[in-house]
Amino acid sequence: MYFYKRLACAVGCLLLVACQPETPVTFKFIPVYNGAPIECEKTWQHQQQTGWQIRTLQFFVTNLTLENDMQKQEFSLQTTVNSNPTIGLVGGQCQQSDYWQLSALSAPDFEEGTLSFDLGVPFELNHNNPLRAPAPLDQADMFWSWQMGHKFLRLDVANPSDARSFSYHLGSTGCDAVSSLRAPKTPCQHPNLVTITLKDFKVNQPIYLDLAVLLKDVTLNQDNRCMSEQNNPVCLRLFSQLQRDKVFYQ
């Protein structure tokens, strides 16, 4: 009898643990300029010119992975209005909904390591019909065309004091298709996916995106806008700076 009581107790404990919901890990992103948080209503100074404001800042995140010397955790995201298990959309448009947080389905067994994620949409998801795509790939303002696919990162800023504006839209180029209304059958010549790596990452701590580092030495005006053209020197500078340390940091 004593044995069966012990066995029943052990089984009950296992069932209790198994039934307890897993605690998700949260990835919260915060946009900053020179380390100071910026919001839609908040102005900031760039190259001695004050009055700049964000209009749109959004980017796709996929392949979130955390690893250390002993373990590796590949995250599956929760399904929400801005994410599905494979991909998440961070940020938004001012005066409209924005989402600066992604949640994975379960936390890793370790709390510190090297975090990596891809900024963009992989080819196999990038050129599907957006009218039938699951969220967040159904967002029209982050889609160029079936041929070019999605905008991986969209940054639109404005300076109401002198009517200046600037846009940086990152996405794949050199996508071969019979028309803009057809998807390419082979990967684009310039995928423009960017892998971000954060060493010494601590779980559930914020991730900062510093526009001062991204926009270093870039004059903000409409003539300098970048739509991912390969022969645009501003695009080449921005793409290079996006891959530097401290654009994203913790």
Side-chain angles (χ1 to χ4, degrees):
M1 182 65 69
Y2 177 73
F3 169 78
Y4 289 110
K5 288 183 178 179
R6 292 284 301 273
L7 179 61
C9 181
V11 171
C13 290
L14 289 174
L15 290 174
L16 180 61
V17 171
C19 292
Q20 287 179 343
E22 294 181 319
T23 302
V25 58
T26 298
F27 300 96
K28 183 177 181 180
F29 294 82
I30 299 177
V32 299
Y33 190 95
N34 276 335
I38 51 178
E39 301 173 353
C40 290
E41 304 82 12
K42 194 169 185 177
T43 62
W44 35 277
Q45 177 177 313
H46 180 74
Q47 293 183 343
Q48 309 303 315
Q49 187 179 30
T50 60
W52 286 102
Q53 294 178 311
I54 292 176
R55 290 292 183 260
T56 303
L57 176 55
Q58 298 180 102
F59 50 92
F60 285 104
V61 172
T62 190
N63 294 328
L64 274 157
T65 303
L66 181 66
E67 60 183 315
N68 59 21
D69 294 336
M70 302 294 294
Q71 302 176 77
K72 181 177 181 179
Q73 173 81 34
E74 296 179 356
F75 294 102
S76 179
L77 297 174
Q78 291 184 336
T79 298
T80 66
V81 293
N82 69 309
S83 64
N84 63 50
T86 302
I87 191 166
L89 180 61
V90 177
Q93 295 187 28
C94 289
Q95 313 307 324
Q96 298 184 28
S97 299
D98 57 0
Y99 306 94
W100 291 100
Q101 183 170 298
L102 299 172
S103 294
L105 294 178
S106 61
D109 295 331
F110 54 104
E111 296 185 352
E112 186 172 348
T114 297
L115 178 75
S116 63
F117 58 87
D118 290 336
L119 201 68
V121 181
F123 176 77
E124 60 271 17
L125 299 175
N126 195 26
H127 304 275
N128 295 331
N129 185 347
L131 299 178
R132 298 179 180 177
L137 294 175
D138 59 347
Q139 188 162 321
D141 60 358
M142 290 295 285
F143 191 75
W144 266 327
S145 65
W146 280 9
Q147 179 179 0
M148 294 184 66
H150 296 266
K151 302 173 186 179
F152 300 162
L153 179 147
R154 178 177 176 178
L155 172 65
D156 301 315
V157 298
N159 195 320
S161 64
D162 57 11
R164 289 192 188 187
S165 63
F166 172 81
S167 294
Y168 174 34
H169 296 182
L170 175 68
S172 296
T173 59
C175 306
D176 187 18
V178 295
S179 77
S180 62
L181 300 179
R182 294 291 184 270
K185 295 183 179 180
T186 57
C188 301
Q189 184 177 359
H190 306 288
N192 289 338
L193 283 165
V194 180
T195 299
I196 305 298
T197 301
L198 303 178
K199 297 180 179 179
D200 302 319
F201 178 83
K202 296 179 176 59
V203 171
N204 291 325
Q205 296 297 308
I207 301 170
Y208 299 94
L209 165 58
D210 200 328
L211 295 185
V213 181
L214 175 61
L215 300 175
K216 183 180 179 182
D217 299 326
V218 175
T219 299
L220 302 184
N221 58 53
Q222 197 58 24
D223 293 336
N224 273 349
R225 72 174 187 168
C226 166
M227 298 290 115
S228 294
E229 306 95 338
Q230 290 299 308
N231 60 349
N232 183 336
V234 176
C235 288
L236 295 177
R237 176 179 293 278
L238 287 166
F239 189 75
S240 174
Q241 292 178 171
L242 186 58
Q243 301 177 78
R244 291 182 180 178
D245 292 340
K246 299 304 182 183
V247 171
F248 287 88
Y249 68 94
Q250 189 177 66

